């Protein structure tokens, strides 16, 4: 994830273990692929870079 955003990062970034946050992330799905979502026309993201790009495009559209 860091590699996908570091070129546009502002400020300082630290990488420190956070057990509470890690527990939340460990409880979530590791991957998602939903036939129902596909039937509804929701696209499947192929990479973290794609997710970041889509987020940036959406954020710019709403705050641009």
């Amino acid at each position: 994830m860091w590699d996908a955003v570091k070129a546009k990062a502002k400020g300082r970034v630290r990488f420190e273990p956070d057990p509470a946050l890690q527990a939340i992330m460990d409880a979530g799905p590791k991957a998602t692929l939903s036939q129902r979502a596909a039937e509804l026309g929701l696209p499947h993201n192929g990479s973290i870079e794609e997710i970041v790009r889509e987020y940036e495009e959406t954020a710019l559209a709403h705050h641009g």
Side-chain angles (χ1 to χ4, degrees):
M1 185 182 295
W2 174 242
D3 288 340
V5 300
K6 68 183 173 185
K8 297 177 183 177
K10 296 178 183 173
R12 293 178 11 167
V13 176
R14 291 186 317 209
F15 295 94
E16 295 178 358
D18 183 327
L21 182 57
Q22 189 64 54
I24 293 169
M25 298 305 293
D26 288 345
K30 303 301 177 250
T32 58
L33 183 56
S34 168
Q35 183 64 33
R36 175 91 170 115
E39 290 169 359
L40 292 171
L42 300 172
H44 177 72
N45 298 104
S47 68
I48 188 67
E49 291 81 10
E50 184 178 340
I51 293 169
V52 169
R53 181 183 46 76
E54 288 178 3
Y55 172 80
E56 290 173 333
E57 290 171 358
T58 302
L60 286 174
H62 292 307
H63 299 110

Coordinates of all heavy atoms in Angstrom, one line a residue:
M1 N 0.8 -1.2 0.0 CA 0.0 0.0 0.0 C 0.9 1.3 0.0 O 0.6 2.2 -0.7 CB -0.9 0.0 1.2 CG -1.9 1.1 1.2 SD -3.0 1.2 2.6 CE -3.9 -0.3 2.4
W2 N 1.9 1.2 0.8 CA 2.8 2.4 0.9 C 3.4 2.7 -0.5 O 3.5 3.8 -0.9 CB 3.9 2.2 1.9 CG 4.9 3.2 1.9 CD1 6.3 3.1 1.7 CD2 4.8 4.6 2.2 NE1 6.9 4.3 1.8 CE2 6.0 5.3 2.1 CE3 3.7 5.4 2.5 CZ2 6.2 6.6 2.2 CZ3 3.8 6.8 2.6 CH2 5.1 7.4 2.5
D3 N 3.8 1.6 -1.2 CA 4.4 1.8 -2.5 C 3.4 2.5 -3.5 O 3.8 3.3 -4.3 CB 4.9 0.5 -3.1 CG 6.1 0.0 -2.4 OD1 6.9 0.7 -1.8 OD2 6.3 -1.3 -2.6
A4 N 2.1 2.2 -3.3 CA 1.1 2.8 -4.2 C 0.9 4.3 -3.9 O 0.4 5.0 -4.8 CB -0.2 2.0 -4.1
V5 N 1.2 4.8 -2.7 CA 0.8 6.2 -2.4 C 2.0 7.0 -2.0 O 1.9 8.3 -2.0 CB -0.2 6.2 -1.2 CG1 -1.4 5.5 -1.5 CG2 0.5 5.7 0.1
K6 N 3.2 6.5 -1.8 CA 4.3 7.3 -1.3 C 4.7 8.4 -2.2 O 5.2 9.4 -1.7 CB 5.5 6.4 -1.0 CG 6.2 5.7 -2.2 CD 7.3 4.8 -1.7 CE 7.9 4.1 -2.8 NZ 8.9 3.1 -2.3
A7 N 4.6 8.3 -3.5 CA 4.9 9.4 -4.4 C 4.1 10.7 -4.2 O 4.6 11.8 -4.4 CB 4.8 9.0 -5.9
K8 N 2.9 10.5 -3.6 CA 2.0 11.6 -3.4 C 1.9 12.0 -1.9 O 1.1 12.9 -1.5 CB 0.7 11.4 -4.0 CG 0.8 11.2 -5.5 CD -0.5 10.9 -6.1 CE -0.4 10.6 -7.6 NZ -1.6 10.2 -8.2
A9 N 2.6 11.3 -1.0 CA 2.4 11.5 0.4 C 3.0 12.8 0.8 O 4.0 13.3 0.3 CB 3.1 10.3 1.2
K10 N 2.3 13.4 1.8 CA 2.8 14.7 2.3 C 3.0 14.5 3.8 O 2.2 13.8 4.5 CB 1.8 15.8 2.1 CG 1.6 16.1 0.6 CD 0.5 17.1 0.4 CE 0.4 17.3 -1.1 NZ -0.7 18.2 -1.4
G11 N 4.0 15.1 4.4 CA 4.2 14.9 5.8 C 5.1 13.7 6.1 O 5.7 13.1 5.2
R12 N 5.2 13.4 7.3 CA 6.1 12.3 7.8 C 5.2 11.0 8.0 O 4.1 11.1 8.4 CB 6.8 12.6 9.0 CG 7.8 13.7 8.8 CD 8.6 14.2 10.0 NE 8.4 13.4 11.2 CZ 9.2 13.5 12.2 NH1 10.2 14.4 12.2 NH2 9.0 12.8 13.3
V13 N 5.8 9.9 7.7 CA 5.1 8.6 7.8 C 6.0 7.7 8.7 O 7.2 7.6 8.5 CB 4.8 7.9 6.5 CG1 4.2 6.6 6.7 CG2 4.0 8.8 5.6
R14 N 5.3 7.1 9.7 CA 6.0 6.1 10.6 C 5.3 4.8 10.4 O 4.1 4.7 10.3 CB 6.0 6.6 12.0 CG 6.7 7.8 12.3 CD 6.7 8.1 13.8 NE 5.4 7.8 14.4 CZ 4.9 8.5 15.4 NH1 5.6 9.3 16.0 NH2 3.7 8.2 15.8
F15 N 6.1 3.8 10.5 CA 5.6 2.4 10.5 C 5.9 1.8 11.9 O 7.0 1.4 12.2 CB 6.2 1.6 9.4 CG 5.9 2.1 8.0 CD1 6.8 3.0 7.4 CD2 4.7 1.7 7.4 CE1 6.4 3.5 6.1 CE2 4.4 2.2 6.2 CZ 5.3 3.1 5.5
E16 N 4.8 1.7 12.7 CA 4.9 1.2 14.0 C 3.8 0.2 14.2 O 2.7 0.4 13.9 CB 4.8 2.2 15.1 CG 6.0 3.2 15.1 CD 5.8 4.3 16.1 OE1 4.8 4.3 16.8 OE2 6.7 5.2 16.2
P17 N 4.1 -1.0 14.8 CA 3.1 -2.0 15.1 C 2.0 -1.4 16.0 O 2.3 -0.7 17.0 CB 3.8 -3.1 15.8 CG 5.2 -3.0 15.4 CD 5.4 -1.5 15.2
D18 N 0.7 -1.7 15.7 CA -0.4 -1.3 16.6 C -1.3 -2.5 16.7 O -2.0 -2.9 15.8 CB -1.2 -0.1 15.9 CG -2.3 0.4 16.7 OD1 -2.9 -0.4 17.5 OD2 -2.6 1.6 16.6
P19 N -1.1 -3.2 17.9 CA -1.9 -4.4 18.1 C -3.4 -4.3 18.0 O -4.0 -5.2 17.4 CB -1.5 -4.8 19.5 CG -0.2 -4.1 19.8 CD -0.3 -2.8 19.0
A20 N -4.0 -3.2 18.4 CA -5.4 -3.0 18.3 C -5.8 -2.9 16.8 O -6.8 -3.5 16.4 CB -5.9 -1.8 19.1
L21 N -5.1 -2.1 16.1 CA -5.4 -2.0 14.6 C -5.2 -3.3 13.9 O -5.9 -3.7 13.0 CB -4.6 -0.8 14.0 CG -4.8 -0.5 12.6 CD1 -6.3 -0.2 12.3 CD2 -4.0 0.7 12.1
Q22 N -4.1 -4.0 14.3 CA -3.8 -5.2 13.6 C -4.9 -6.2 13.9 O -5.3 -7.0 13.0 CB -2.4 -5.8 14.1 CG -2.0 -7.0 13.3 CD -1.7 -6.6 11.9 OE1 -1.0 -5.8 11.5 NE2 -2.3 -7.4 10.9
A23 N -5.5 -6.3 15.1 CA -6.5 -7.2 15.4 C -7.8 -6.9 14.5 O -8.4 -7.8 14.0 CB -6.9 -7.1 16.8
I24 N -8.1 -5.6 14.3 CA -9.2 -5.3 13.4 C -8.9 -5.8 12.0 O -9.8 -6.4 11.3 CB -9.4 -3.8 13.4 CG1 -9.9 -3.3 14.8 CG2 -10.4 -3.3 12.3 CD1 -9.9 -1.8 15.0
M25 N -7.7 -5.5 11.5 CA -7.4 -5.9 10.1 C -7.3 -7.4 9.9 O -7.8 -7.9 8.9 CB -6.0 -5.3 9.7 CG -6.0 -3.7 9.7 SD -7.3 -3.0 8.6 CE -6.8 -3.5 7.0
D26 N -6.9 -8.1 10.9 CA -6.8 -9.6 10.9 C -8.2 -10.2 10.8 O -8.4 -11.3 10.3 CB -6.0 -10.1 12.1 CG -4.5 -9.9 12.0 OD1 -4.1 -9.5 10.8 OD2 -3.8 -10.0 13.0
A27 N -9.2 -9.5 11.4 CA -10.6 -10.0 11.4 C -11.3 -9.8 10.1 O -12.3 -10.5 9.8 CB -11.4 -9.3 12.5
G28 N -10.8 -9.0 9.2 CA -11.4 -8.7 7.9 C -11.0 -9.8 6.9 O -10.1 -10.6 7.1
P29 N -11.8 -9.8 5.8 CA -11.4 -10.7 4.7 C -10.1 -10.4 4.1 O -9.7 -9.2 4.0 CB -12.5 -10.5 3.7 CG -13.1 -9.2 4.0 CD -12.9 -8.9 5.4
K30 N -9.4 -11.4 3.7 CA -8.1 -11.2 3.1 C -8.2 -10.9 1.6 O -7.3 -10.3 1.0 CB -7.2 -12.5 3.3 CG -7.0 -12.8 4.7 CD -6.4 -11.7 5.5 CE -6.3 -12.1 7.0 NZ -7.1 -11.3 7.9
A31 N -9.3 -11.3 1.0 CA -9.5 -11.0 -0.4 C -11.0 -11.1 -0.6 O -11.7 -11.8 0.1 CB -8.8 -12.1 -1.3
T32 N -11.5 -10.4 -1.6 CA -12.9 -10.4 -1.9 C -13.2 -10.6 -3.4 O -12.5 -10.0 -4.2 CB -13.6 -9.1 -1.4 OG1 -13.0 -8.0 -2.1 CG2 -13.5 -8.9 0.1
L33 N -14.1 -11.4 -3.7 CA -14.6 -11.6 -5.0 C -16.0 -12.1 -4.9 O -16.3 -13.2 -4.4 CB -13.8 -12.6 -5.8 CG -14.1 -12.8 -7.3 CD1 -14.1 -11.5 -8.0 CD2 -13.2 -13.9 -7.9
S34 N -16.9 -11.2 -5.2 CA -18.3 -11.4 -5.0 C -19.1 -11.6 -6.3 O -19.1 -10.6 -7.1 CB -18.9 -10.3 -4.1 OG -20.3 -10.4 -4.1
Q35 N -19.7 -12.7 -6.5 CA -20.5 -12.9 -7.7 C -21.7 -12.0 -7.7 O -22.0 -11.4 -8.7 CB -21.0 -14.4 -7.8 CG -21.8 -14.7 -9.0 CD -21.0 -14.6 -10.3 OE1 -19.8 -14.8 -10.3 NE2 -21.6 -14.1 -11.3
R36 N -22.3 -11.7 -6.5 CA -23.4 -10.8 -6.4 C -23.0 -9.4 -6.8 O -23.7 -8.7 -7.5 CB -23.9 -10.8 -4.9 CG -25.0 -9.8 -4.7 CD -26.4 -10.4 -4.9 NE -27.4 -9.5 -4.4 CZ -28.3 -8.9 -5.2 NH1 -28.3 -9.2 -6.5 NH2 -29.2 -8.1 -4.7
A37 N -21.8 -9.0 -6.3 CA -21.3 -7.6 -6.7 C -21.1 -7.5 -8.2 O -21.5 -6.5 -8.8 CB -20.0 -7.3 -5.9
A38 N -20.6 -8.6 -8.8 CA -20.4 -8.6 -10.2 C -21.7 -8.5 -11.0 O -21.9 -7.8 -11.9 CB -19.6 -9.8 -10.6
E39 N -22.7 -9.2 -10.5 CA -24.0 -9.2 -11.1 C -24.7 -7.8 -11.0 O -25.5 -7.4 -11.8 CB -25.0 -10.2 -10.4 CG -24.6 -11.6 -10.8 CD -25.3 -12.7 -9.9 OE1 -26.1 -12.3 -9.0 OE2 -25.0 -13.9 -10.1
L40 N -24.3 -7.1 -9.9 CA -24.8 -5.7 -9.8 C -24.0 -4.7 -10.5 O -24.4 -3.5 -10.5 CB -24.8 -5.3 -8.3 CG -25.8 -6.1 -7.4 CD1 -25.6 -5.8 -5.9 CD2 -27.3 -5.7 -7.8
G41 N -23.0 -5.1 -11.2 CA -22.2 -4.2 -12.0 C -21.1 -3.5 -11.3 O -20.5 -2.6 -11.7
L42 N -20.8 -4.0 -10.1 CA -19.7 -3.4 -9.3 C -18.3 -4.1 -9.7 O -18.2 -5.3 -9.7 CB -19.9 -3.6 -7.8 CG -21.2 -3.0 -7.2 CD1 -21.4 -3.4 -5.8 CD2 -21.1 -1.5 -7.4
P43 N -17.4 -3.3 -10.1 CA -16.1 -3.8 -10.6 C -15.3 -4.4 -9.5 O -15.3 -4.0 -8.4 CB -15.4 -2.6 -11.2 CG -16.0 -1.5 -10.5 CD -17.4 -1.8 -10.1
H44 N -14.4 -5.4 -9.9 CA -13.5 -6.0 -9.0 C -12.1 -5.3 -9.2 O -11.7 -5.1 -10.3 CB -13.3 -7.5 -9.3 CG -12.3 -8.2 -8.5 ND1 -12.5 -8.4 -7.2 CD2 -11.0 -8.6 -8.8 CE1 -11.4 -9.0 -6.7 NE2 -10.5 -9.2 -7.7
N45 N -11.5 -4.9 -8.1 CA -10.2 -4.2 -8.2 C -9.1 -5.2 -8.3 O -9.1 -6.2 -7.6 CB -10.0 -3.3 -7.0 CG -11.0 -2.2 -6.9 OD1 -11.9 -2.3 -6.1 ND2 -10.9 -1.2 -7.7
G46 N -8.2 -5.0 -9.3 CA -7.1 -5.9 -9.5 C -5.9 -5.7 -8.7 O -5.1 -6.6 -8.5
S47 N -5.7 -4.5 -8.1 CA -4.5 -4.2 -7.4 C -4.7 -3.0 -6.5 O -5.7 -2.2 -6.6 CB -3.4 -3.8 -8.4 OG -3.7 -2.6 -9.0
I48 N -3.8 -2.9 -5.5 CA -3.9 -1.7 -4.6 C -3.7 -0.4 -5.4 O -4.3 0.6 -5.0 CB -2.8 -1.9 -3.4 CG1 -3.1 -0.8 -2.4 CG2 -1.4 -1.8 -3.9 CD1 -4.3 -0.9 -1.6
E49 N -2.8 -0.4 -6.4 CA -2.6 0.8 -7.2 C -4.0 1.2 -7.8 O -4.3 2.4 -7.9 CB -1.6 0.5 -8.3 CG -0.2 0.4 -7.7 CD 0.2 -1.0 -7.2 OE1 -0.6 -1.9 -7.4 OE2 1.2 -1.2 -6.5
E50 N -4.7 0.3 -8.3 CA -6.0 0.6 -8.9 C -7.0 1.1 -7.9 O -7.7 2.1 -8.1 CB -6.6 -0.7 -9.5 CG -7.9 -0.5 -10.3 CD -8.5 -1.7 -10.9 OE1 -7.7 -2.7 -11.1 OE2 -9.7 -1.8 -11.2
I51 N -7.0 0.6 -6.7 CA -7.8 1.1 -5.6 C -7.4 2.5 -5.2 O -8.3 3.4 -5.1 CB -7.7 0.2 -4.4 CG1 -8.4 -1.2 -4.7 CG2 -8.4 0.8 -3.1 CD1 -8.1 -2.2 -3.6
V52 N -6.2 2.8 -5.1 CA -5.7 4.2 -4.8 C -6.1 5.1 -5.9 O -6.6 6.2 -5.7 CB -4.2 4.2 -4.6 CG1 -3.6 5.6 -4.5 CG2 -3.8 3.4 -3.3
R53 N -5.9 4.7 -7.2 CA -6.2 5.6 -8.3 C -7.7 5.9 -8.3 O -8.1 7.1 -8.4 CB -5.8 4.9 -9.6 CG -6.2 5.8 -10.8 CD -5.8 5.1 -12.2 NE -6.3 3.7 -12.3 CZ -7.6 3.4 -12.5 NH1 -8.5 4.3 -12.6 NH2 -7.9 2.1 -12.6
E54 N -8.6 4.9 -8.1 CA -10.0 5.1 -8.0 C -10.4 6.1 -6.9 O -11.3 6.9 -7.0 CB -10.8 3.8 -8.0 CG -10.7 3.1 -9.3 CD -11.4 1.7 -9.2 OE1 -12.0 1.4 -8.1 OE2 -11.4 1.0 -10.2
Y55 N -9.7 5.9 -5.7 CA -10.0 6.7 -4.6 C -9.6 8.2 -4.9 O -10.4 9.1 -4.7 CB -9.2 6.3 -3.4 CG -9.3 7.3 -2.2 CD1 -10.4 7.3 -1.4 CD2 -8.3 8.2 -2.0 CE1 -10.5 8.2 -0.4 CE2 -8.4 9.1 -1.0 CZ -9.5 9.1 -0.2 OH -9.6 10.1 0.8
E56 N -8.5 8.4 -5.5 CA -8.1 9.7 -5.9 C -9.0 10.4 -6.9 O -9.4 11.5 -6.7 CB -6.6 9.7 -6.5 CG -5.6 9.4 -5.5 CD -4.2 9.2 -6.1 OE1 -4.1 8.8 -7.3 OE2 -3.2 9.4 -5.4
E57 N -9.4 9.6 -7.9 CA -10.4 10.1 -8.9 C -11.7 10.5 -8.2 O -12.3 11.6 -8.5 CB -10.6 9.1 -10.0 CG -9.4 8.9 -10.9 CD -9.6 7.7 -11.8 OE1 -10.6 7.1 -11.8 OE2 -8.6 7.5 -12.6
T58 N -12.2 9.7 -7.3 CA -13.4 10.0 -6.6 C -13.3 11.2 -5.7 O -14.1 12.1 -5.7 CB -13.9 8.8 -5.8 OG1 -14.1 7.7 -6.7 CG2 -15.2 9.1 -5.1
A59 N -12.2 11.3 -5.0 CA -11.9 12.4 -4.1 C -11.8 13.7 -4.9 O -12.4 14.7 -4.4 CB -10.7 12.2 -3.3
L60 N -11.1 13.7 -6.0 CA -11.0 14.9 -6.8 C -12.4 15.3 -7.4 O -12.7 16.5 -7.4 CB -10.0 14.7 -8.0 CG -8.6 14.7 -7.6 CD1 -7.7 14.3 -8.8 CD2 -8.1 16.0 -7.0
A61 N -13.2 14.4 -7.8 CA -14.5 14.7 -8.3 C -15.4 15.4 -7.3 O -16.2 16.2 -7.6 CB -15.2 13.4 -8.8
H62 N -15.3 15.0 -6.0 CA -16.1 15.5 -5.0 C -15.5 16.8 -4.3 O -16.2 17.6 -3.7 CB -16.3 14.5 -3.9 CG -17.2 13.3 -4.4 ND1 -18.4 13.5 -4.9 CD2 -17.0 12.0 -4.3 CE1 -18.9 12.3 -5.3 NE2 -18.1 11.4 -4.9
H63 N -14.2 17.0 -4.4 CA -13.5 18.1 -3.8 C -12.8 19.0 -4.8 O -12.1 19.9 -4.4 CB -12.5 17.6 -2.7 CG -13.2 16.8 -1.6 ND1 -13.0 15.5 -1.5 CD2 -14.1 17.2 -0.7 CE1 -13.8 15.0 -0.5 NE2 -14.4 16.0 0.0
G64 N -12.9 18.7 -6.1 CA -12.1 19.4 -7.1 C -12.7 20.7 -7.4 O -12.2 21.7 -7.6

